[in-house]
């Protein structure tokens, strides 16, 4: 990532708060670094990004973000290897997806160099914040929202692009028990399910609360038509292993094109694991569980890489998955994290150094 933008201004904090942070006990996404990147869209163009001290945002009560929900975001990470070198994992994929989300939400698309060089500058300024304890990383949250004012139901005329950094510890989800959803839908055909927009996630909270009240950790989302097909697991893509085949649903306007998802598919094929990208019915999963062919289910996403599912409920019946000595989930997680932390060769060109 060689810098091409020479005009990103940097305003540093007078005193860092890094000494107040216990890097051995970092929760996920709750501690924030000294600085953030901000960039405004005004008068039909994105202005030059700048790095400023981390601080609250002042907005007019009529800002359209509050009324019409024009907001998008990404989730990515930076890692440090044993030699203190900083690495990103497929950052251009996050940039491309941010603009796919922007287009769907009628938000002006962002120039690539604003994203890449802005991120590079911010990570250089707050580089000492990137944790080096085992399993820890720097969680990166780029987001854009409508800052323009007015109650008229139309796209805003002003937007803010911000990147915030949150050093985070290992993401251990433990054994996750899920409920296959029969009533509520995450998204619909022709909708915004493929965009990383805030409302997609807000709409998941209530059905998930209902599942938690029944003793489950998360919801497995099914299609909006008749809840026949498995689609996603919580806020993650989902993989299902029947016998020795790893299956995941095809991306669509309902399903997020996950970067971890596409990485797992490439990695699995290279390892000789048979993969299938196809629709999979709830009935097929139930039958496989009953006859012992269902070996694994796991979520896939940035935070946990893979999140193994220990069992699921459907129509009042619980099904347990077997505990495997060497699961596909554990193999794949190790292979991906070894690439991310520069512990292994990267045959795919996914790793990008600062």
């Amino acid at each position: 990532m060689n810098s091409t933008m020479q005009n990103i201004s940097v305003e540093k904090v007078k005193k860092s708060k890094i000494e107040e942070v216990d890097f051995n006990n970092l929760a996920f996404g709750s501690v924030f670094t000294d600085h953030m990147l901000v960039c405004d869209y005004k008068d039909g163009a994105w202005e030059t990004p700048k790095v400023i001290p981390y601080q609250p945002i002042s907005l007019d009560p009529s800002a359209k973000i509050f009324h019409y929900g024009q907001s998008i975001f990404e989730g990515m990470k930076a890692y440090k290897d044993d030699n203190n070198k900083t690495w990103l994992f497929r950052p251009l994929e996050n940039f491309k997806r941010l603009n796919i989300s922007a287009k769907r939400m009628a938000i002006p698309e962002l120039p690539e160099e604003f994203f890449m060089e802005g991120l590079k500058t911010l990570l250089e300024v707050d580089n000492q914040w990137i944790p080096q304890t085992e399993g820890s990383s720097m969680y990166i949250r780029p987001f854009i929202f409508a800052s323009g004012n007015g109650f008229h139901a139309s796209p805003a005329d002003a937007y803010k692009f911000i990147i915030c950094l949150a050093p985070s510890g290992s993401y251990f989800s433990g054994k996750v028990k899920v409920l296959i959803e029969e009533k509520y839908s995450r998204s619909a055909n022709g909708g915004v399910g493929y965009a990383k927009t805030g409302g997609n996630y807000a709409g998941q909270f209530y059905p998930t609360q209902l599942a938690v009240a029944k003793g489950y950790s998360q919801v497995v989302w099914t299609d909006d038509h008749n809840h026949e097909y498995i689609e996603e697991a919580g806020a993650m893509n989902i993989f299902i292993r029947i016998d020795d085949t790893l299956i995941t649903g095809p991306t669509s306007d309902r399903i997020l094109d996950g970067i971890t998802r596409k990485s797992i598919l490439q990695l699995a094929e290279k390892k000789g694991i048979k993969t299938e990208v196809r629709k999979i019915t709830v009935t097929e999963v139930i039958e496989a569980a009953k006859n012992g062919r269902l070996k694994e289910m796991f979520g896939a996403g940035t935070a946990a890489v893979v999140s193994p599912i220990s069992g699921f409920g459907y129509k009042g019946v619980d099904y347990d998955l077997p505990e495997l000595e060497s699961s596909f989930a554990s193999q794949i997680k190790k292979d991906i994290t070894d690439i991310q932390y520069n512990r292994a060769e990267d045959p795919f060109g996914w790793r990008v150094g600062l």
Side-chain angles (χ1 to χ4, degrees), residues 35-319:
H35 301 89
M36 63 187 195
L37 181 93
V38 294
C39 180
D40 286 303
Y41 180 90
K42 293 177 182 175
D43 301 321
W46 285 103
E47 298 178 347
T48 304
K50 55 188 177 183
V51 172
I52 63 172
Y54 186 91
Q55 60 191 263
I57 303 164
S58 178
L59 291 170
D60 192 281
S62 71
K64 291 199 173 185
I65 177 58
F66 301 132
H67 307 280
Y68 304 114
Q70 267 186 297
S71 72
I72 57 173
F73 70 96
E74 275 298 319
M76 52 199 300
K77 288 181 177 179
Y79 311 83
K80 272 193 177 173
D81 65 18
D82 292 338
N83 296 316
N84 205 38
K85 183 171 173 60
T86 303
W87 301 91
L88 293 165
F89 184 72
R90 309 191 75 175
L92 274 174
E93 294 296 324
N94 291 98
F95 163 72
K96 290 173 187 173
R97 191 171 63 185
L98 185 77
N99 272 347
I100 288 169
S101 298
K103 188 171 184 178
R104 182 61 182 87
M105 300 304 292
I107 292 172
E109 293 177 44
L110 192 74
E112 180 181 320
E113 65 174 0
F114 282 34
F115 183 95
M116 296 299 289
E117 301 304 329
L119 176 57
K120 175 180 182 290
T121 302
L122 180 61
L123 285 170
E124 286 173 348
V125 171
D126 279 342
N127 196 265
Q128 62 181 340
W129 283 82
I130 303 175
Q132 284 188 279
T133 48
E134 179 63 31
S136 297
S137 58
M138 179 67 83
Y139 185 77
I140 302 166
R141 172 53 61 89
F143 58 104
I144 303 176
F145 65 89
S147 57
N149 302 335
F151 292 148
H152 190 269
S154 61
D157 60 0
Y159 298 85
K160 274 190 182 295
F161 167 55
I162 296 176
I163 303 179
C164 294
L165 305 177
S168 297
S170 296
Y171 192 99
F172 293 116
S173 54
K175 291 187 175 181
V176 176
K177 190 179 173 188
V178 298
L179 180 66
I180 296 179
E181 185 56 52
E182 300 173 54
K183 178 181 178 181
Y184 295 99
S185 298
R186 177 187 169 274
S187 58
N189 287 330
V192 297
Y194 69 92
K196 279 188 79 72
T197 182
N200 283 347
Y201 298 81
Q204 295 183 34
F205 295 156
Y206 175 64
T208 303
Q209 286 178 338
L210 297 179
V212 169
K214 294 176 182 176
Y216 300 91
S217 306
Q218 196 50 266
V219 166
V220 167
W221 299 104
T222 48
D223 66 284
D224 66 300
H225 182 55
N226 55 11
H227 301 284
E228 179 184 0
Y229 297 101
I230 299 284
E231 294 203 333
E232 292 197 352
M236 308 175 84
N237 294 118
I238 189 168
F239 283 83
I240 296 164
R241 176 184 172 186
I242 296 179
D243 295 326
D244 285 329
T245 301
L246 203 54
I247 307 163
T248 193
T251 55
S252 66
D253 53 15
R254 295 191 312 276
I255 298 177
L256 185 73
D257 186 11
I259 293 159
T260 306
R261 172 191 175 276
K262 64 177 74 173
S263 302
I264 288 173
L265 287 170
Q266 284 183 255
L267 188 63
E269 288 172 20
K270 190 174 189 303
K271 289 172 69 69
I273 296 171
K274 185 183 177 187
T275 61
E276 292 181 1
V277 178
R278 63 171 175 84
K279 288 186 174 182
I280 182 165
T281 63
V282 177
T283 303
E284 183 180 355
V285 173
I286 300 291
E287 288 303 311
K290 286 178 177 178
N291 60 31
R293 296 179 61 214
L294 181 64
K295 305 299 184 187
E296 294 181 66
M297 294 171 65
F298 57 87
T302 298
V305 182
V306 299
S307 182
I309 294 168
S310 61
F312 66 91
Y314 183 65
K315 292 190 181 296
V317 180
D318 283 344
Y319 301 85

